[in-house]
Amino acid sequence: MKRRRLTFLLIHPEISRTRYNFVGVIENECLELEYISAMLKKEGHAVILYDGQVEPFGAGTAIQKTEPDVVYVCGRARQENFMLEYCANAKECGAITIIGGLHAQLCYERMYRPCVDFIVTTFDIYKILDIVAYAVYHEKAAAEQFAGVCYQKEGVWHYQAGEPFDIRRLPLPDRSYFNAFPHRYQYLELAHAAWVRTAYGCPYRCAFCHRNRMNMGQLSLRDIEDVVREIAQIDTENIYIVDDDFLFDTERLGRFVDAVRQQGIRKRYICYGRADFIAKNPEMMRKLKEIGLYYVLVGLEAIEDSYLARYEKRSDVHNNVQCVSVCNELGIHMMGMFIVDLSFRAKDFRALYHWIVEHQVRHVALSVFTPELCTPVYEQYRDRIITDNPSHFDYLHLVARPAYMGVRSFYFHYYILLIRLFLKAKREGVYDFIDYGDYIRSFVANMFRGMRKNDDM
Ligand code: SF4
């Protein structure tokens, strides 16, 4: 049977419909969709990409305008409602609907809905071609082709676990959409930051983290020289290496530094790294700074060893202190990421602020402890869960009852801490490009809105 050319609409939903959507502050390039776009175009299909972060019209309009044969939607837990809404829109227009992305890897059963035809639960983008061969061209599918894909047959959902994906099979991403928005996709003050991925998975197993469960828990690495060749071709100054942990192998990093130097690449880099690595490898951090490392995002998580032990972080507060000191001495902007734990008492919120001041952490990100959906941690907290709205699983909301204070009291102290950190950042001239007043006013409003009902952020 002759295969007809299909039109695919690939959708990255908006992050949130509230003011906390980070538009204009942090906007993420749709890298996973760009891999898919490259693969589909190579097969001769027409591809339209829609990113709810940057488009001026809704995804529903995009579906109506483009009349696609296939709609593919990806996203995270907080975007689940949007993903399902777009599948319902697409179904009304007669399209085949596929859901993929990080959330689908662990929570595929939550999306067993009539408006969803297929769910891809692996990083293996080539499953989309298998789905199309089966659903559009009516070719017989071998069982292994559908490993890692959920599908319905006679009204019953079927699923067979997939295999870990070898990242080296990915094509180079089709960045035409990213390039069409030269004034978007920033990371804080770094304009037009292109995402680059060098690995799937993480070698660590922190207890609270669901990232290490992706790719069936397997780490898959690209050849670092291949990564550098890709970076050399990207027409932007800022490169956001989005691996869960880029800084873990000194030999691989050494080859990265050498290759960047040899090719004379001059760019600024953002990446994730661990405090213990940074504390123990100041010389490597110096080399990375020399080739352009600008932001390193570090999960410091806590200021007490008891919390780090409970999180199975395999690091300690001494490393956190050393890490901040190494980055500050080298002039690397370190984004210290902390968990606001459900066991916090009022004094813990205050202690966290004082630790941040004492150790001169200039860039800070707070996450409310979140038992991730569809993980063993969620099951541990099941009887304390206070919301079933997936959009609340955004690390800004409380999704489980705190241990030692009421929900309102917890939010009160959380917002006081946020306001103090914003005022500190304003005094120090950090994030001068954002409207502090707007954020602080909204935190204060939330605080006085009866410490919120958990539904208006
Ligand atoms: S190092 Fe980071 S990405 Fe890896 S398991 Fe721990 S928190 Fe998750």
Side-chain angles (χ1 to χ4, degrees), residues 201-212 244-245 272-274 299 301 311-313:
C202 172
Y204 290 87
R205 291 289 176 269
C206 306
F208 59 86
C209 177
H210 67 321
R211 310 284 305 200
N212 58 50
D244 297 332
D245 178 15
Y272 288 87
R274 284 175 51 98
E301 324 296 9
Y311 297 154
E312 296 176 34
K313 193 72 195 176

Side-chain angles (χ1 to χ4, degrees), residues 211-228:
R211 310 284 305 200
N212 58 50
R213 303 172 71 84
M214 303 295 166
N215 206 33
M216 309 349 170
Q218 296 289 311
L219 180 66
S220 180
L221 299 172
R222 285 175 67 190
D223 301 328
I224 204 70
E225 289 76 12
D226 185 41
V227 172
V228 176

